[in-house]
Amino acid sequence: MTAQIASPLITALEGSGVRLTGPRRAIAEMISTRTGHFTAADLVGAAKARHPGIGRATIFRSLELLSSLGVVERLDLPNGDHAYVGCEPSHHHHVVCSSCGASSDFDDADLSTVVEGVGARTGYRIDSHRLELFGICPTCAAATTEAST
Amino acid sequence: MTAQIASPLITALEGSGVRLTGPRRAIAEMISTRTGHFTAADLVGAAKARHPGIGRATIFRSLELLSSLGVVERLDLPNGDHAYVGCEPSHHHHVVCSSCGASSDFDDADLSTVVEGVGARTGYRIDSHRLELFGICPTCAAATTEAST
DNA sequence: ATTTTTGCAAATCATTTGCATATAT
DNA sequence: ATATATGCAAATGATTTGCAAAAAT
């Protein structure tokens, strides 16, 4: 009975009918050890070090697969870069730390009021939305304060 | 006294200290004739037809300039493409039509409550946010209904 | 045994850059 | 006159694709 902690991603893969391959396990594990967001290039780099033999294409393909399963989400950073974060498959949004890349999820409740209001005012039938918040996480804020003391 | 309608973009350029060049006028005009969002590639194509001689690089540079002036905004479409829309320079967000690309602006008021709430709950100091709504505009909705009759 | 995945290398696509020339001020 | 902008072509960077070989069912 070994620890299964690191694997909501693996669970998601298991439940989806795709094959649970070595590369996919390795990628899932590399993602689940990350605290914050990461780019495809980050993962390619990590793979080169920790799991040589995994190709660039496989990483892109896995990222797409995991996104489609809803356990990884693609973010568009303010600078235009694409990044990813591991997350719960339910609908929600992210706050991401501009300093360390950490991210938290938050849910939808209050936002849906806003979304409905906009729909009513503009006449659009709103199908989907995306909200991303950027700021400084408590840890980084503390570190900054300290440094300036 | 000729119509100046097409030129909030030009006004913005004038007020900003940059030089009002031929290519910039042409690009501003091409943008202001668009109803919905457009990609850099769209503009490159339009320029090739209507203003040959304007280079790709100039288009990208102008888009960046206009974005920095706040009269054009870059969107990240749900499919990952980058697009732009012309807009008012005040802070606001967009609803974009998945069918025709039209977009409307809406302001911030209700959203700021949500943003503050998230900041309070997560402990993040929120610096910026981005909200994009996607759906079907009234015009396209009407067209669809008609077609199915 | 059969189907899905993979790795590789090459292809594609978007965006950026260097630099000599042209243009707005 | 002088600083800023432009066009071009080449450079860069990210992501995708074709395909034969490898691995999972």
Side-chain angles (χ1 to χ4, degrees):
Chain A
M1 217 172 276
T2 9
Q4 301 296 119
I5 19 162
S7 304
L9 302 195
I10 300 214
T11 307
L13 289 170
E14 286 174 345
S16 72
V18 303
R19 293 187 180 177
L20 195 39
T21 66
R24 283 179 182 158
R25 282 174 184 285
I27 291 169
E29 178 241 307
M30 289 189 292
I31 291 176
S32 52
T33 63
R34 309 232 154 210
T35 45
H37 58 118
F38 54 89
T39 62
D42 289 339
L43 232 42
V44 171
K48 196 164 301 173
R50 222 155 336 129
H51 299 278
I54 294 187
R56 220 190 350 276
T58 300
I59 296 193
F60 279 94
R61 289 187 278 232
S62 298
L63 245 12
E64 193 194 348
L65 171 60
L66 292 167
S67 296
S68 76
L69 297 178
V71 287
V72 148
E73 189 163 332
R74 183 175 177 162
L75 303 177
D76 297 291
L77 268 17
N79 65 43
D81 280 4
H82 289 145
Y84 298 82
V85 280
C87 61
E88 296 298 313
S90 60
H91 183 67
H92 61 267
H93 302 283
H94 300 273
V95 213
V96 355
C97 178
S98 314
S99 173
C100 71
S103 88
S104 290
D105 296 0
F106 61 91
D107 72 38
D108 222 8
D110 304 326
L111 184 59
S112 58
T113 310
V114 176
V115 172
E116 282 160 24
V118 173
R121 267 178 279 130
T122 60
Y124 277 60
R125 176 166 62 70
I126 311 288
D127 295 325
S128 69
H129 61 267
R130 173 158 48 167
L131 173 64
E132 284 160 12
L133 307 195
F134 304 97
I136 303 294
C137 72
T139 307
C140 288
T144 303
T145 303
E146 236 170 73
S148 70
T149 307
Chain B
M1 216 173 277
T2 9
Q4 299 298 117
I5 19 160
S7 305
L9 302 195
I10 300 213
T11 306
L13 290 170
E14 285 172 345
S16 73
V18 303
R19 294 189 178 174
L20 196 39
T21 66
R24 282 178 182 160
R25 283 175 183 287
I27 290 169
E29 178 240 307
M30 287 190 292
I31 291 176
S32 52
T33 63
R34 309 233 155 210
T35 45
H37 59 121
F38 54 90
T39 62
D42 289 339
L43 232 42
V44 171
K48 196 164 300 173
R50 219 151 344 125
H51 300 277
I54 295 185
R56 219 190 350 275
T58 299
I59 296 194
F60 279 93
R61 289 188 277 233
S62 297
L63 245 12
E64 192 193 348
L65 171 60
L66 293 167
S67 296
S68 76
L69 297 178
V71 287
V72 148
E73 188 163 333
R74 184 175 175 160
L75 303 176
D76 298 292
L77 268 17
N79 65 43
D81 280 4
H82 289 146
Y84 299 82
V85 280
C87 62
E88 296 299 313
S90 60
H91 184 67
H92 61 266
H93 302 282
H94 300 272
V95 213
V96 356
C97 178
S98 315
S99 173
C100 70
S103 88
S104 292
D105 297 0
F106 62 91
D107 72 38
D108 223 7
D110 303 325
L111 183 58
S112 58
T113 310
V114 176
V115 171
E116 283 159 24
V118 173
R121 266 177 279 130
T122 60
Y124 277 60
R125 176 166 63 70
I126 311 288
D127 295 325
S128 68
H129 61 268
R130 173 155 49 165
L131 173 63
E132 285 159 14
L133 307 195
F134 303 96
I136 303 295
C137 72
T139 307
C140 288
T144 302
T145 303
E146 235 170 73
S148 70
T149 307

